[in-house]
Structures are given as structure tokens and as C-alpha cells.
């Protein structure tokens, strides 16, 4: 009797496998053009994202450019011990986490608020003007943004610095003040990226069923009630997804912006892991240390994304998978 049940189970498994194989074959035949369009993208990620991951092996080697990756001697976890035992590492980690958390807390809300405001504007030409003005800074490089900031905050010739000096007789240089370095980074980041972030939310708002608003109006709901009960729940999943993605990059903290604004007088509050790695890896040609820190950041980001995704699903969100 037991052998009969085992045979039935094996037959069932075989049928399921054949069914899955047929469904996959049918999907490939039906959507073969779509799969062919995916090939260039897959090749790009294979060449520029997956094959270079083999270079992570230098994290476990005393890498020498003359000997190459494969002939450089193995040293195990020595690079990791050197990085984590470095007296600079605790401060670098603290600055990186502080800046990243500030970006998550203060830079996501302006995107959402701008999208909600634009969604309520009914005059099309005025809405387009606001979108153009707020979206324009996104196309500026951080070099140009720093140049604009310098023109306002330069100690002798800046517009704001000159105005303060003229009216109060004070000589200020906010770009080299430790207390002002992080606020300046956050404010310039908000100014540059808020318009682009709002576009994502506007795209989501456009997908909300308008019949919900019509039904709410019939029931006597005002604009605030519609916002609270229809609009915000409609964009909740996207908001959580963006938070999850930002948490995965919590050890990045915006290298390009930070490196351009950084100077020797604000190292205590502005030097982050990426700027330190740039000095060690590029300026000092210590590629093993740079690869070690990159591997550490990837591992931490991977764990944080998994945890954040589970928390998002636990509190009613859809997560990213």
C-alpha cells in the first residue's frame, strides 16, 4: 500500500514538473519578443555589475598591481581587521550613519509634500511652471551646486556673507563651520533632488482611481478627508518601497556631494566612509582596503534591505518582493 502511495506521489510530481515546463515554454513562445528586448539589459548587468564582482577577491589578498589579482598573496581577513581596528573607523561610521539618517528623515518628506501640492493644483500652466522650476536643479552637477552655494556663502564675496557683514559687522564662513556643514548638505540636497522625487509620487497619484474621490465627494468628505483616507493610503506602498531602498544605501551617504563640500576644517563631522575609501583606494592606491570596505557596505545593505522589507510587510505594506 505504501509503495502505491509513493508511486502516486512520484507521478503527481512528474505531472507538475511537466506542467511547469510547458507553461514556461508557452510563455517563452508567446512573449519571445519581450524576452529578446531584455537581452541587451541582461548583457549590460552581466558585464558591468556581475563579472566585476569577481574583483572582490582582492579583499582577501595583499593586492599588488604588478602581480595582478590572481597572483597577489592571500592574507585572509587581515584587511577586515585593519579596517575595523582603525582609529578613524568609529568616527567615519558615525558620520555616515548620521548623514544617511538625516537624509531619510528630512529629504523624503519634501518630495511627498511637493507631489501632494502639485496634485492639488488645477491650473495646468501654473502646475507645469512649478514642475519645471523644481525639477530643473536635478540636472545640475554637484560641482555647479557647490559653485552656487559658494557664491552665497563665500566669506568675503558671498551674497549672504556680505549682507551679514554689512548689517551686523560679522565675518562668517559657514562652509568651514562644523555646526553648519550637515545642514548645508541637507538643504542643497533637498533643493537639487526634491523635484525629481516628486515626479515618482505624481506618477503614483495618477494611478489612484478617481471614482474613489467622486464617491468621497458624494459622501460629503472634504479635501483633507480625501487626502487622509484616499491619497495617502494610495501612495503608502511606494513610500515604504523608497524607504527600504534608501535603508539599503544607508552606508553611502552621498559620496559625490560630500566629497565636493568637504574641507579639512569639517572632517570631524563630514568625513564619511566613502571619502575615506577614496583617499585610501584612489589617492594611496590601497585597493584591497577599498574593496574590503565596499564588501562590508554591500553586506550591511543587503541585511538591512531584508529586515526593512520584512518590517514593511509586517505593518501592512507590500514590500519590494
Amino acid at each position: 500500500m505504501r509503495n502505491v502511495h509513493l508511486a502516486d506521489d512520484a507521478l503527481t510530481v512528474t505531472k507538475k514538473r511537466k506542467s511547469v515546463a510547458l507553461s514556461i515554454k508557452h510563455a517563452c513562445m508567446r512573449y519571445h519578443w519581450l524576452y529578446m528586448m531584455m537581452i541587451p539589459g541582461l548583457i549590460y548587468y552581466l558585464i558591468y555589475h556581475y563579472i566585476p564582482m569577481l574583483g572582490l577577491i582582492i579583499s582577501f589578498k595583499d593586492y599588488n598591481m604588478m602581480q595582478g589579482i590572481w597572483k597577489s598573496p592571500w592574507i585572509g581577513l587581515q584587511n577586515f581587521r585593519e579596517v575595523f581596528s582603525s582609529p578613524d573607523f568609529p568616527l567615519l561610521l558615525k558620520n555616515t550613519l548620521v548623514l544617511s539618517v538625516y537624509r531619510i528623515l528630512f529629504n523624503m518628506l519634501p518630495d511627498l509634500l511637493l507631489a501632494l501640492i502639485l496634485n492639488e493644483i488645477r491650473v495646468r500652466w501654473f502646475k507645469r511652471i512649478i514642475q519645471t522650476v523644481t525639477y530643473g536643479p536635478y540636472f545640475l552637477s554637484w560641482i555647479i551646486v557647490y559653485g552656487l552655494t559658494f557664491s552665497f556663502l563665500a566669506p568675503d564675496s558671498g551674497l549672504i556673507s556680505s549682507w551679514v557683514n554689512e548689517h551686523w559687522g560679522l565675518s562668517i564662513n559657514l562652509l568651514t563651520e562644523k555646526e553648519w556643514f550637515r545642514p548645508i548638505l541637507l538643504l542643497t540636497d533637498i533643493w537639487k533632488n526634491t523635484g525629481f522625487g516628486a515626479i515618482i509620487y505624481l506618477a503614483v497619484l495618477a494611478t489612484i482611481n478617481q471614482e474613489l474621490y467622486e464617491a468621497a465627494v458624494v459622501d460629503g468628505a472634504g479635501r483633507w478627508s480625501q487626502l487622509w483616507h484616499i491619497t495617502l493610503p494610495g501612495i503608502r506602498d511606494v513610500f515604504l518601497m523608497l524607504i527600504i531602498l534608501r535603508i539599503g544605501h544607508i552606508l553611502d551617504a552621498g559620496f559625490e556631494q560630500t566629497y565636493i563640500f568637504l574641507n579639512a576644517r569639517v572632517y570631524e563631522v563630514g568625513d564619511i566612509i566613502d571619502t575615506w575609501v577614496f583617499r585610501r583606494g584612489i589617492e594611496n592606491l590601497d585597493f584591497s582596503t577599498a574593496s574590503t570596505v565596499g564588501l562590508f557596505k554591500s553586506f550591511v545593505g543587503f541585511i538591512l534591505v531584508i529586515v526593512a522589507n520584512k518590517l514593511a510587510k509586517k505593518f501592512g505594506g507590500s514590500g519590494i518582493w
Side-chain angles (χ1 to χ4, degrees), residues 46-75:
L46 179 65
I47 294 176
Y48 294 103
H49 290 269
Y50 285 94
I51 294 180
M53 289 176 65
L54 295 174
L56 291 174
I57 196 174
I58 68 175
S59 301
F60 307 95
K61 288 191 170 190
D62 183 13
Y63 177 68
N64 187 303
M65 287 192 296
M66 301 302 295
Q67 294 178 330
I69 295 178
W70 305 111
K71 294 184 179 180
S72 297
W74 287 90
I75 57 175

Side-chain angles (χ1 to χ4, degrees), residues 242-307:
L242 293 176
I243 288 180
I244 293 172
L245 294 177
R246 290 207 176 196
I247 290 176
H249 292 276
I250 199 169
L251 292 183
D252 289 340
F255 163 74
E256 185 178 358
Q257 180 195 16
T258 307
Y259 182 75
I260 291 172
F261 280 78
L262 192 65
N263 57 77
R265 298 186 63 177
V266 296
Y267 267 23
E268 185 178 346
V269 296
D271 198 17
I272 60 176
I273 292 177
D274 284 347
T275 55
W276 182 78
V277 168
F278 181 83
R279 293 196 300 272
R280 289 288 298 268
I282 303 300
E283 296 179 0
N284 297 335
L285 301 180
D286 189 358
F287 298 110
S288 294
T289 300
S291 177
T292 300
V293 177
L295 182 59
F296 165 72
K297 287 175 51 181
S298 300
F299 178 76
V300 172
F302 177 71
I303 298 298
L304 291 176
V305 165
I306 293 177
V307 173

Side-chain angles (χ1 to χ4, degrees), residues 12 17 26 38-39 55 81 83 101 148-149 159 182 190 192 233 260 274 287 304 314 321:
T12 303
R17 289 178 178 176
H26 177 71
M38 290 172 57
I39 291 177
R81 287 192 291 267
V83 170
V101 171
L148 294 173
T149 306
L159 294 178
R182 290 170 181 169
I190 290 173
K192 185 177 186 296
I260 291 172
D274 284 347
F287 298 110
L304 291 176
K314 184 177 180 180
W321 68 80

Side-chain angles (χ1 to χ4, degrees), residues 109-164:
L109 291 180
D111 301 349
L112 178 59
L113 291 176
L114 178 61
L116 294 175
I117 292 172
L118 292 174
N119 189 56
E120 296 298 322
I121 297 176
R122 296 294 177 260
V123 182
R124 290 184 176 272
W125 63 268
F126 182 70
K127 181 177 181 178
R128 290 173 180 172
I129 291 176
I130 297 299
Q131 281 185 286
T132 302
V133 171
T134 55
Y135 190 43
Y138 177 76
F139 295 99
L140 301 178
S141 68
W142 280 115
I143 292 291
I144 297 177
V145 174
Y146 178 77
L148 294 173
T149 306
F150 187 82
S151 66
F152 281 95
L153 303 179
D156 298 324
S157 58
L159 294 178
I160 295 178
S161 302
S162 300
W163 185 81
V164 171

